[in-house]
């Protein structure tokens, strides 16, 4: 591979990485925005996120404490989990003084959007304690640049020089 082709390869690779990150964050952001609207209109009467228990439990960190399949069932059909004597659902029912979660009649897409919103809230909390998200493009560009410069060095280093 010549230097020109190597440069073109790394430029295309960098463009693809940036596009994937950007487009993925747009899709996730749309779902989280939709989920926030649903959460605000349907869930805030009983739940908070990080502000303590209301009728139902505080949902801060719920996506890391519970499996997504369980969350989907709990949001979509909470009465069936109680009917099955699911241990977590029974504990939540006891903590809510016997007041069961009502079925909200949400579609699968709405449930997924609410879960995406809850995950986005958790990621924001993690980012607040870790590397700020605005540094991510700089970190990615730096890594790609280091790989590119290393490749250039290796390619240039292979040249045979006749020293007389």
């Amino acid at each position: 591979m010549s230097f020109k082709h190597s440069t073109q390869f790394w430029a295309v690779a960098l463009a693809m990485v940036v596009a994937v990150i950007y487009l993925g964050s747009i899709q996730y952001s749309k779902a989280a925005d939709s989920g926030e609207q649903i959460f605000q209109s349907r869930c805030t009467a009983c739940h908070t996120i990080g502000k303590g228990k209301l009728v139902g439990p505080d949902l801060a960190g719920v996506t890391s404490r519970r499996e997504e399949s369980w969350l989907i069932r709990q949001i979509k059909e909470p009465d069936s989990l109680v009917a099955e004597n699911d241990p977590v659902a029974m504990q939540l029912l006891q903590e809510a003084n016997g007041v069961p979660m009502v079925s909200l009649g949400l579609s699968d897409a709405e449930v997924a959007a609410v879960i995406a919103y809850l995950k986005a809230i958790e990621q924001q909390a993690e980012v607040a304690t870790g590397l700020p998200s605005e540094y991510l493009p700089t970190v990615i560009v730096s890594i790609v640049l280091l790989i590119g410069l290393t490749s250039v060095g290796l390619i240039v280093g292979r040249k045979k020089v006749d020293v007389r």
Side-chain angles (χ1 to χ4, degrees), residues 123-140 143:
Q123 287 178 347
Q124 287 175 357
E126 290 173 10
V127 166
T129 60
L131 183 67
S133 62
E134 62 264 14
Y135 295 143
L136 185 60
T138 304
V139 171
I140 291 171
I143 291 170

Side-chain angles (χ1 to χ4, degrees), residues 39-40 159:
F39 185 86
Q40 295 298 329
K159 289 187 177 180

Side-chain angles (χ1 to χ4, degrees), residues 11 14 19 25 49 52 54 68 70 129 140-141 149-150 153 163:
L14 176 61
S25 67
I49 300 174
L54 288 178
E68 188 168 334
W70 187 90
T129 60
I140 291 171
V141 168
L149 289 174
T150 301
V163 181

Side-chain angles (χ1 to χ4, degrees), residues 35-45 117:
E36 180 179 15
Q37 292 171 352
I38 296 165
F39 185 86
Q40 295 298 329
S41 66
R42 298 293 206 60
C43 307
T44 55
Y117 169 65

Side-chain angles (χ1 to χ4, degrees), residues 13-53:
L14 176 61
M16 288 174 49
V17 167
V18 170
V20 166
I21 291 170
Y22 181 72
L23 293 175
S25 67
I26 287 174
Q27 292 289 36
Y28 192 74
S29 175
K30 286 180 184 178
D33 288 345
S34 171
E36 180 179 15
Q37 292 171 352
I38 296 165
F39 185 86
Q40 295 298 329
S41 66
R42 298 293 206 60
C43 307
T44 55
C46 298
H47 298 282
T48 67
I49 300 174
K51 296 181 181 168
K53 179 184 170 204

Side-chain angles (χ1 to χ4, degrees), residues 14-135:
L14 176 61
M16 288 174 49
V17 167
V18 170
V20 166
I21 291 170
Y22 181 72
L23 293 175
S25 67
I26 287 174
Q27 292 289 36
Y28 192 74
S29 175
K30 286 180 184 178
D33 288 345
S34 171
E36 180 179 15
Q37 292 171 352
I38 296 165
F39 185 86
Q40 295 298 329
S41 66
R42 298 293 206 60
C43 307
T44 55
C46 298
H47 298 282
T48 67
I49 300 174
K51 296 181 181 168
K53 179 184 170 204
L54 288 178
V55 176
D58 185 335
L59 298 179
V62 72
T63 60
S64 60
R65 289 191 315 267
R66 307 277 183 251
E67 291 182 12
E68 188 168 334
S69 60
W70 187 90
L71 285 173
I72 291 169
R73 288 196 64 208
Q74 176 65 15
I75 295 169
K76 193 153 175 84
E77 50 190 43
D79 47 342
S80 68
L81 286 173
V82 171
E84 295 170 8
N85 287 323
D86 178 81
V88 176
M90 298 308 290
Q91 178 186 357
L92 293 173
L93 182 62
Q94 183 181 14
E95 290 173 4
N97 298 321
V99 178
M101 180 171 163
V102 296
S103 180
L104 301 173
L106 298 176
S107 69
D108 291 341
E110 290 171 322
V111 171
V114 169
I115 292 173
Y117 169 65
L118 293 171
K119 286 180 180 180
I121 294 293
E122 282 186 41
Q123 287 178 347
Q124 287 175 357
E126 290 173 10
V127 166
T129 60
L131 183 67
S133 62
E134 62 264 14
Y135 295 143

